[in-house]
Amino acid sequence: MSSELAGVGIVSGSSPSIAIGRAHLLAPSELETRHYSIERKDVLHEVARLNNAFSLVRAEIDELATHVAPDAPGEVRAFLDLHRMILDDPLLCDEPRDLVRNRLINAEWALTIQLEQVCKQFEAIDDEYFRSRTQDVRQVVERVMKALVSGRNSTMALPPKPADGERLILIARDLAPTDMLHLKERAEVDVAGFVTELGGRNSHTAIMARSLGLPAVLGVSNARESVAEGDLVVLDAETGRLRIRPEPTDLTLYRQRLRAQVESRIALRKLKGRLPRTKDGIAVDLLANIELPEDARDALDAGADGIGLFRTEFLFMNRDQLPDEDEQYEAYAKVARAMKGKPVVIRTLDVGADKVLTDKARRGLGIAAGAPTIESNPALGLRAIRYCLAYPDLFLTQLRAILRASSVGTVRILVPMLAHVHEVEQTLSFVARAREQLKERKVKYDARVPVGGMIEVPAAALSLPAFVRRLKFLSLGTNDLIQYTLAIDRADSSVAHLYEHLHPAVLHLIARTIRIGAKARTPVAVCGEMAGEIDLTELLLGMGLRQFSMHPSQVLSVKERLFTLSTKTAAKLASRVLRADDPVEIRKMIERAVTRPAS
Ligand code: PEP
Ligand code: MG
């Protein structure tokens, strides 16, 4: 009988989100090992077994490294380096030998004791990054353990070759990056995707899945209990669902969706190298929104003209120790370097409202314990620029890190949620102070890094000239502009039906911002969700928008739409829409324009 399980879907920008194949279950990762005492005369033998196991795994990782394609994503090599480093750590390779000698126990037992010891130390470190590395330590030790038990290297057995034309979907408790690489390198095994019981959106498994271009569903508890070897399974990474033994009618639908995804991706990929232009030859910038440094690859892969919005708050969330200047610099510089001179707009911290810091991190900023995490109106509370201005050290640290990254790429600073001109002025003086501090430290940065502002509060959109005079560029955050114009909490599902992006008030504020920006020769982008909706491309273009910033997966579709549009027809649509006062009527106008046959 057909059944379904849910987890976290990981889609890689360039690959289809659906995978259909035969399940191959990978053996549980924990090994049953025997623990026993030894006699002193056996110490040398056990130590030799340990040495041999470590050598086998070292050789195995080195061998894998030689297979990494020169154009493979940087993470692939980074994982191998990390695992090699863990393997060479004296805590792991020397200590077990001492345990064998001193406690007279077998090699497996010594390794298990030491593994738990090291993991305990890692877990006690007050740093999310180090804590999450315990998974890597366990994966490395597991390989050594396998080599110890079998006396051979720990390379996982290759799955059976499925029937002609069929692909495999791996189902595992956990999948080490090295194992994924091992499978990916073997041409005879056609892996379509994988499912794991552990791991989340930002786990190493997820990062590897994205860089290898394999759809995945992670964190599916009981996956291995619910699926039998050889079962036909469908994985939908967009919805995070795993369908087991689908009914024939569902399978046909999934096959059709997969075929359509493959075809449209092939067609869209062909557009990657083409400059985004309208049919009448007007150039437009298509930029990408990213949340983590690793996402820059998706942006490049989609042929984006730069990063239009780097939401830096994701570096600060879910951790007790906030990132210091160096850690932030590394993250920003990584993106700036990856984009090779293309602009990278880094938004200063937008926490508050639904993006909260942990209690411990807040205490680190001096916020009293017990202070409410969510105020009664969090979206109207201490958020974004208000937060940064309230915590000068936090703000200055970030500004210095961003400025430093400007020495390795084309960096711009974007300030969220401005409502008052004095907030712009205060921000500019903070930027000046951060520059001074770097100068005193003789640290390199580009002195011309422009500072721009997000227009996402109606007050700013309605007093725009004062903002334009002080800022070098503007970016319309339509997600918040809708929320604040219509007084709809964007996180409250009970009022979600009133969140209407086609409300005339919202459209007038957008059009006005684009018009005043153009008049003052201040570049204006849209970086809210509206920029990536292909049904709205013509309307925004008609309002005069020339910079669209969106999720990387939307860039090529918007480009495709752009090629079919002319700015003159678009301007007529925009002026008709701006004369209308009913969102239903506006929607119909847009639908008619979308379905209008190309002239
Ligand atoms: C927006 O408000 O439109 C925006 C891009 O910012 P965020 O969604 O991160 O608030
Ligand atoms: Mg916003």
Side-chain angles (χ1 to χ4, degrees), residues 274-521:
R274 286 179 60 190
L275 288 176
R277 279 183 191 284
T278 60
K279 205 166 67 177
D280 53 341
I282 302 298
V284 171
D285 288 334
L286 297 184
L287 306 155
N289 294 352
I290 63 167
E291 289 166 359
L292 290 170
E294 294 74 38
D295 301 340
R297 177 155 354 88
D298 292 340
L300 285 171
D301 197 40
D305 298 309
I307 303 297
L309 173 65
F310 181 177
R311 289 180 163 104
T312 58
E313 49 276 10
F314 291 91
L315 300 171
F316 291 72
M317 289 158 63
N318 298 320
R319 55 189 288 172
D320 292 339
Q321 187 93 39
L322 296 182
D324 63 12
E325 184 185 317
D326 284 344
E327 185 185 335
Q328 289 187 56
Y329 163 73
E330 289 301 336
Y332 308 148
K334 186 171 176 183
V335 177
R337 272 192 215 103
M339 295 310 292
K340 298 195 175 81
K342 290 182 176 175
V344 176
V345 176
I346 303 180
R347 180 170 75 183
T348 57
L349 191 59
D350 182 0
V351 284
D354 54 339
K355 299 179 207 162
V356 284
L357 300 179
T358 66
D359 267 350
K360 202 160 173 200
R362 281 152 41 88
R363 278 202 296 281
L365 291 173
I367 302 174
T373 306
I374 301 280
E375 306 83 354
S376 48
N377 277 310
L380 304 180
L382 196 64
R383 197 197 140 179
I385 188 59
R386 303 171 183 181
Y387 207 102
C388 288
L389 294 176
Y391 297 101
D393 285 342
L394 177 77
F395 197 23
L396 276 169
T397 305
Q398 181 172 42
L399 291 173
R400 285 193 305 270
I402 300 177
L403 286 169
R404 280 172 60 189
S406 70
S407 65
V408 299
T410 308
V411 165
R412 296 173 188 163
I413 298 173
L414 179 64
V415 187
M417 214 194 162
L418 294 166
H420 298 270
V421 170
H422 62 73
E423 289 164 339
V424 179
E425 281 167 350
Q426 273 178 278
T427 299
L428 293 176
S429 62
F430 268 105
V431 174
R433 199 165 346 144
R435 284 194 182 117
E436 282 305 312
Q437 290 172 337
L438 290 178
K439 218 185 271 171
E440 273 165 31
R441 280 166 38 191
K442 299 194 180 2
V443 176
K444 272 207 311 203
Y445 66 93
D446 176 356
R448 295 154 308 172
V449 172
V451 179
M454 287 196 70
I455 302 302
E456 49 186 352
V457 177
L462 292 169
S463 52
L464 210 59
F467 287 86
V468 162
R469 277 199 295 279
R470 292 164 175 85
L471 293 164
K472 295 282 186 258
F473 65 96
L474 303 176
S475 193
L476 273 154
T478 50
N479 307 341
D480 276 317
L481 189 62
I482 300 167
Q483 145 162 289
Y484 294 127
T485 306
L486 303 180
I488 298 299
D489 184 340
R490 62 194 259 203
D492 184 345
S493 57
S494 64
V495 284
H497 61 291
L498 297 173
Y499 187 90
E500 173 58 87
H501 59 277
L502 297 181
H503 191 296
V506 173
L507 297 179
H508 278 282
L509 289 175
I510 297 174
R512 172 189 159 84
T513 306
I514 298 170
R515 191 179 64 244
I516 295 178
K519 221 163 153 193
R521 294 184 186 280

Side-chain angles (χ1 to χ4, degrees), residues 121-196:
Q121 286 178 13
F122 267 70
E123 275 153 14
I125 299 176
D126 200 6
D127 182 306
E128 172 70 22
Y129 177 81
F130 277 103
R131 273 204 306 273
S132 62
R133 291 297 67 82
T134 46
Q135 196 195 350
D136 294 281
V137 176
R138 285 187 190 282
Q139 287 170 347
V140 169
V141 169
E142 195 180 299
R143 297 183 95 79
V144 178
M145 200 66 95
K146 279 186 192 163
L148 202 51
V149 173
S150 66
R152 286 183 283 109
N153 78 22
S154 62
T155 304
M156 77 192 308
L158 286 181
K161 200 172 178 320
D164 264 358
E166 283 193 331
R167 309 186 71 195
L168 283 181
I169 299 206
L170 304 179
I171 318 271
R173 179 165 185 274
D174 188 15
L175 209 46
T178 33
D179 283 336
M180 291 167 71
L181 195 57
H182 173 65
L183 288 167
K184 183 81 181 173
E185 295 300 320
R186 298 298 186 276
E188 64 270 36
V189 189
D190 189 6
V191 177
F194 62 90
V195 177
T196 60

